[in-house]
Amino acid sequence: MQTFPKKRIEIVVEAPLLRRITAKLDETGVTGWSVVPILAGHGRDGDWSAEGQVGTASQMVMLITIVDAAKLDAVLDGVFALVSHQIGFVTVSDIAVMRPERF
Amino acid sequence: MFDLAFQNLVSPMVLFFVLGVAAALARSDLSIPEPVAKLLALYLLMSIGFRGGVEVAHQGVDGTMIAAIAAGIALSFLMPFLAYLMLRTTSRLDAVNAAAVAAHYGSISAVTFVAVTGTLGQLGIAWDGYMVAVGAAMETPAILAALLIARGRTDAATPGQSRGALLREVALNGSIVILLGAFVIGALTGARGAAMLKPFLNDAFAGVLCLFLLDMGLVAGRGLAQGRRHLSLPVTVFGVAMPLIGGALAAGLAWIIGLSVGSTAVLITLAASASYIAVPAAMRLALPQANPAIALTLSLGITFPFNLLVGIPLYIALAGRIAP
């Protein structure tokens, strides 16, 4: 089966920022994304866990989106302006998709 | 006073909280899933909001209610300035972290609000239903105060983040919406609504509160175990001193207004509490340079247990002395 190269962006960020990031993706013409909750983790400040938390401040989420290489810089510039001072990280990887018109 | 403190310490609510803290510190795998904890919080806020509304429907609106709301707003706005000053003069916290912590102590803890109403219920002390509206009104002004304090000291607020948008987000956070929404529904449906929902919203309240405080104990214990290295001695002392100072200011205002014993105890407790739901999220947007572990560990690991174990009986005893 033929596949087509695309870019996969993973954004791990503090939950309170999620709405602003999805708005920014919408603004830059990204057509779809998925959000995954993160149960627990370990970073520079030690362990953390979402267990039993009522507020969003102690929670992290992962946002996954796939974009065309031509759009990558615009999306990353917009996202980085939002997350540069926040806890978390952004990764970009090369992937292959079967339906390129969707991204 | 000592009798009240003893009764409080051996109440199921407090003992379940202590169990949670002990289990977390002992690294037990006891846990309450996050969606369940959120559901318990929603239930408790819905219950006190609705019951407050029913009582307002019964008693009506008067000048005391307006004065109590104004007092709450003034406390919430002014306490962050006091807290900031204390932190900057007694500890080595930088301006941004001190402003973020100060916002937590100007705003209120809905969980502590629920806890004091639970204790008052156990003691058979009535409080005025409009205190629900006072609690809701105290959430947001502290954020505005913190933004004013931090203005010019940070350039790192989330881009595109207007002050209005941030305040609107805090004012519309889930805990406020359910609290005020249930309050309005209670006020609209009055005694008829209260009779319909009594088995759900009244009878199960104490049991659900115990389960929720078990969760709070687990979260506080874990937070302390992980975050205590972020707390210097002066900052830790602040976590106990600030509730007493805020509570004393609230006691004075309650005395001037002439609030009842129960409502005085609630206002003191609100002023003595520190937010750990709405404000931490707002501070991550407004002051992302601030270390969230400092304010959260202080609020949930020091101030909340202090208020639950020592503060609430103290505030109720004080209210009994000063209220008419």
Side-chain angles (χ1 to χ4, degrees):
Chain A
M1 180 176 277
Q2 187 179 7
T3 60
F4 303 85
K6 294 288 174 187
K7 298 288 184 181
R8 174 181 160 123
I9 306 173
E10 286 183 4
I11 306 162
V12 172
V13 72
E14 297 169 80
L17 210 70
L18 180 62
R19 200 184 293 179
R20 282 157 181 78
I21 293 178
T22 55
K24 180 60 73 180
L25 292 180
D26 210 19
E27 206 178 283
T28 47
V30 175
T31 53
W33 55 81
S34 300
V35 178
V36 185
I38 300 179
L39 298 178
H42 180 90
R44 281 187 301 183
D45 283 330
D47 294 330
W48 66 270
S49 168
E51 245 173 33
Q53 296 283 354
V54 179
T56 57
S58 311
Q59 295 183 23
M60 304 286 289
V61 292
M62 178 193 280
L63 191 148
I64 303 163
T65 187
I66 297 168
V67 299
D68 193 81
K71 256 189 220 171
L72 183 66
D73 280 348
V75 173
L76 288 181
D77 285 346
V79 168
F80 189 70
L82 288 173
V83 303
S84 57
H85 288 96
Q86 308 287 152
I87 299 166
F89 56 86
V90 179
T91 63
V92 180
S93 49
D94 291 311
I95 57 159
V97 301
M98 289 178 279
R99 297 184 293 185
E101 72 282 359
R102 295 197 166 221
F103 306 99
Chain B
M1 167 67 200
F2 289 110
D3 188 43
L4 183 60
F6 180 73
Q7 274 186 50
N8 181 62
L9 285 176
V10 295
S11 72
M13 282 164 25
V14 169
L15 292 175
F16 273 107
F17 177 79
V18 172
L19 172 65
V21 173
L25 293 178
R27 297 187 179 187
S28 159
D29 64 355
L30 177 63
S31 72
I32 292 180
E34 174 213 334
V36 175
K38 285 187 171 161
L39 182 65
L40 296 176
L42 280 178
Y43 166 84
L44 294 169
L45 293 169
M46 180 180 167
S47 175
I48 59 170
F50 184 84
R51 286 187 283 155
V54 168
E55 203 189 316
V56 166
H58 178 64
Q59 291 186 335
V61 174
D62 60 13
T64 311
M65 172 180 165
I66 308 296
I69 291 174
I73 292 172
L75 282 168
S76 175
F77 185 75
L78 295 174
M79 281 195 301
F81 292 96
L82 186 58
Y84 178 79
L85 197 65
M86 281 177 65
L87 284 165
R88 293 289 282 161
T89 51
T90 62
S91 77
R92 289 184 177 181
L93 276 192
D94 61 36
V96 174
N97 275 303
V101 172
H104 288 69
Y105 282 79
S107 189
I108 63 131
S109 153
V111 179
T112 315
F113 183 21
V114 170
V116 72
T117 61
T119 306
L120 289 170
Q122 281 181 352
L123 296 170
I125 300 173
W127 53 282
D128 295 294
Y130 57 70
M131 293 309 293
V132 170
V134 175
M138 290 177 75
E139 280 266 16
T140 317
I143 313 273
L144 183 60
L147 294 181
L148 289 175
I149 292 167
R151 190 173 53 183
R153 294 186 172 92
T154 174
D155 57 354
T158 304
Q161 177 65 68
S162 77
R163 188 177 294 172
L166 186 67
L167 292 176
R168 188 171 61 247
E169 205 162 297
V170 174
L172 291 177
N173 85 79
S175 59
I176 296 292
V177 171
I178 188 70
L179 186 68
L180 278 183
F183 177 78
V184 171
I185 293 169
L188 290 175
T189 57
R192 183 177 56 87
M196 283 173 66
L197 295 184
K198 183 180 174 294
F200 177 62
L201 291 185
N202 289 42
D203 298 349
F205 184 84
V208 174
L209 181 55
C210 286
L211 193 53
F212 186 65
L213 286 174
L214 172 69
D215 178 58
M216 286 294 94
L218 288 165
V219 174
R222 276 190 225 115
L224 263 183
Q226 281 300 324
R228 64 183 165 207
R229 64 199 165 91
H230 296 289
L231 301 184
S232 62
L233 181 62
V235 173
T236 306
V237 170
F238 169 87
V240 173
M242 190 61 210
L244 296 174
I245 293 168
L249 291 173
L253 288 173
W255 179 74
I256 292 168
I257 298 168
L259 292 180
S260 67
V261 173
S263 295
T264 298
V266 171
L267 187 65
I268 295 173
T269 307
L270 287 172
S273 69
S275 173
Y276 87 91
I277 298 176
V279 174
M283 287 300 105
R284 295 312 301 142
L285 297 169
L287 301 174
Q289 288 170 324
N291 181 352
I294 297 172
L296 266 176
T297 308
L298 194 60
S299 165
L300 193 56
I302 303 293
T303 301
F304 179 67
F306 169 75
N307 277 331
L308 190 68
L309 300 174
V310 180
I312 287 175
L314 184 69
Y315 309 147
I316 294 173
L318 176 63
R321 287 186 178 264
I322 65 171

